[in-house]
Amino acid sequence: MFSITPADNKSLLAEKLRQFERIRAKYKSSKNIEEQHSLRILKMESNRMSKQLYPGLISRFFRKIITASQNQVSIRSDVKKAEKNFNSLQEQMQRIGFPDLSEKLKMLIEKAQENFSLSLSYYINETEKINHNLTFSKNAEGYFELEGYKSSLYNNIISEENRQYYFKNEQGYNFKLHGVHNLLSGRSVYHNESWFQIDFNDKDAAGNNHLKEFRNGYGYDLEKTLKAVPLKAASNKFEFEKLKNTLKQGDRISAVLIKNGKEQLFHIEADPHFKSLTIYDQHLRKVDITSLRTELQKNHEQNQNLKLPKQNQSRRTGIKI
């Protein structure tokens, strides 16, 4: 790149000497035999360059004292920056929901690699196991960043439900682990003013599944959709808000519907794609929305007929799911 070389130019040679001295100061307490051997060679090379740049014994002596002080200040500054970087990574991981992995993280950072990964595995329940593989890399400033994590969900009974997705650590897409599990389970999660759902039937050119996003402008109104269903929880404001917030987290939850004047247990999920709800019976069999809508419409009309005078029986109100 240049017409000059460090051996011919004093400025470049002086910078090389400063770098060597910083390395020696930083690793002088190393117990590693190979590093100790490298440090001895580094010391000899530093002494040779020092004599070449500063022939006078007195100038080398005073420079050595000044450089040692500067290196200590620089090392303390680097330690503080590294500690700040480590704490920042810890905070990011804890916000997502990862447990305390500080010891493993510290050990991997100390190896001074350009990038590394950290794995975590645990059971969600008796049949589901989830693996997370976190990836880290150094940025241009030399500090580590959490790039993202690949999460894999395994079902011991239904192999078709074994799924995985790489979640980038980007603003707006940093889902918490509870939401990650629900997304891998095929459900939708409300996050940062949008609904998200992984499309396991559609992949990009690299073989990654698409993460579908349904923004507020898409027109899915969960509260309106819930109020259109004869839910027992609708009569209690606190219970209704709790139900709505739980669905936004991507959970499949139990709900009591008033059917034929009786309470009946169903399981429901938010379905932003079709601006609806996904409903299951007590045996977790999917309930046909059209049939349920027709049945609820019929029951509602019968109830209205019983309440209204004969001359007003033609006025009826429909239910929409």
Side-chain angles (χ1 to χ4, degrees), residues 211-270:
L211 182 66
K212 297 187 294 186
E213 181 178 359
F214 306 95
R215 299 186 178 180
N216 287 336
Y218 183 75
Y220 181 52
D221 189 332
L222 178 61
E223 183 171 338
K224 184 179 178 181
T225 303
L226 288 170
K227 286 182 176 179
V229 181
L231 290 167
K232 182 182 178 182
S235 60
N236 185 304
K237 186 177 180 180
F238 174 79
E239 290 296 327
F240 184 79
E241 286 298 315
K242 182 180 177 182
L243 178 73
K244 186 175 67 173
N245 292 332
T246 306
L247 286 171
K248 283 185 174 183
Q249 294 176 28
D251 290 342
R252 175 192 294 167
I253 60 175
S254 301
V256 176
L257 273 69
I258 309 301
K259 184 179 178 183
N260 297 327
K262 298 180 181 179
E263 296 181 0
Q264 189 168 339
L265 184 67
F266 286 89
H267 302 279
I268 61 176
E269 300 171 4

Side-chain angles (χ1 to χ4, degrees), residues 9-215:
N9 184 273
K10 284 190 174 183
S11 297
L12 292 177
L13 192 62
E15 180 58 32
K16 183 178 180 181
L17 177 60
R18 282 193 290 270
Q19 292 290 349
F20 278 14
E21 289 172 336
R22 288 193 192 105
I23 293 171
R24 286 180 57 204
K26 184 176 180 179
Y27 295 100
K28 66 180 181 180
S29 301
S30 173
K31 304 297 181 183
N32 186 288
I33 296 176
E34 291 183 0
E35 289 182 355
Q36 289 177 0
H37 181 65
S38 298
L39 287 169
R40 284 195 291 270
I41 297 174
L42 200 64
K43 181 179 180 181
M44 290 187 291
E45 182 66 11
S46 298
N47 289 338
R48 184 192 66 78
M49 288 189 291
S50 181
K51 289 178 181 179
Q52 181 180 345
L53 288 165
Y54 312 103
L57 181 62
I58 296 176
S59 62
R60 288 203 304 273
F61 174 75
F62 282 108
R63 181 190 172 277
K64 185 177 181 180
I65 295 174
I66 295 170
T67 302
S69 177
Q70 291 174 338
N71 286 337
Q72 288 302 315
V73 172
S74 177
I75 289 171
R76 284 195 293 270
S77 176
D78 289 343
V79 169
K80 288 182 179 179
K81 289 178 180 178
E83 186 177 344
K84 185 178 179 180
N85 181 213
F86 175 78
N87 291 335
S88 176
L89 291 174
Q90 279 284 91
E91 289 174 5
Q92 289 182 53
M93 292 163 63
Q94 288 173 1
R95 276 198 303 270
I96 296 170
F98 289 104
D100 185 7
L101 300 170
S102 55
E103 292 301 321
K104 290 182 179 179
L105 182 62
K106 188 178 294 184
M107 181 183 67
L108 290 167
I109 289 176
E110 287 176 352
K111 289 185 177 180
Q113 297 175 337
E114 291 299 312
N115 51 68
F116 62 88
S117 60
L118 179 59
S119 297
L120 175 68
S121 178
Y122 55 88
Y123 277 90
I124 300 290
N125 49 52
E126 293 180 353
T127 60
E128 289 183 317
K129 177 185 177 183
I130 194 164
N131 293 343
H132 302 291
N133 188 54
L134 295 81
T135 53
F136 301 83
S137 64
K138 273 188 179 179
N139 58 22
E141 288 76 31
Y143 301 115
F144 284 102
E145 293 180 339
L146 173 61
E147 289 187 337
Y149 50 96
K150 181 180 179 181
S151 298
S152 306
L153 181 66
Y154 300 97
N155 191 304
N156 297 333
I157 299 176
I158 309 173
S159 59
E160 291 78 9
E161 293 188 3
N162 294 345
R163 296 158 177 167
Q164 61 184 24
Y165 188 82
Y166 183 77
F167 295 90
K168 293 182 180 179
N169 186 34
E170 296 178 346
Q171 187 66 29
Y173 298 94
N174 48 347
F175 298 94
K176 293 187 177 182
L177 292 189
H178 183 74
V180 167
H181 171 242
N182 284 331
L183 286 168
L184 290 173
S185 298
R187 295 187 286 274
S188 302
V189 174
Y190 190 73
H191 180 69
N192 286 347
E193 305 299 321
S194 291
W195 285 94
F196 291 90
Q197 185 182 39
I198 301 175
D199 191 342
F200 293 103
N201 297 315
D202 187 19
K203 294 185 178 182
D204 58 21
N208 300 314
N209 294 102
H210 286 289
L211 182 66
K212 297 187 294 186
E213 181 178 359
F214 306 95
R215 299 186 178 180

Side-chain angles (χ1 to χ4, degrees), residues 263-301:
E263 296 181 0
Q264 189 168 339
L265 184 67
F266 286 89
H267 302 279
I268 61 176
E269 300 171 4
D271 185 2
H273 188 187
F274 294 102
K275 302 177 184 178
S276 182
L277 296 172
T278 303
I279 303 180
Y280 303 87
D281 63 17
Q282 296 183 53
H283 305 287
L284 295 181
R285 293 176 300 204
K286 198 170 182 180
V287 176
D288 182 70
I289 295 296
T290 305
S291 299
L292 184 60
R293 182 190 293 117
T294 302
E295 186 176 352
L296 290 173
Q297 175 78 21
K298 183 179 178 181
N299 294 337
H300 182 75
E301 290 178 351

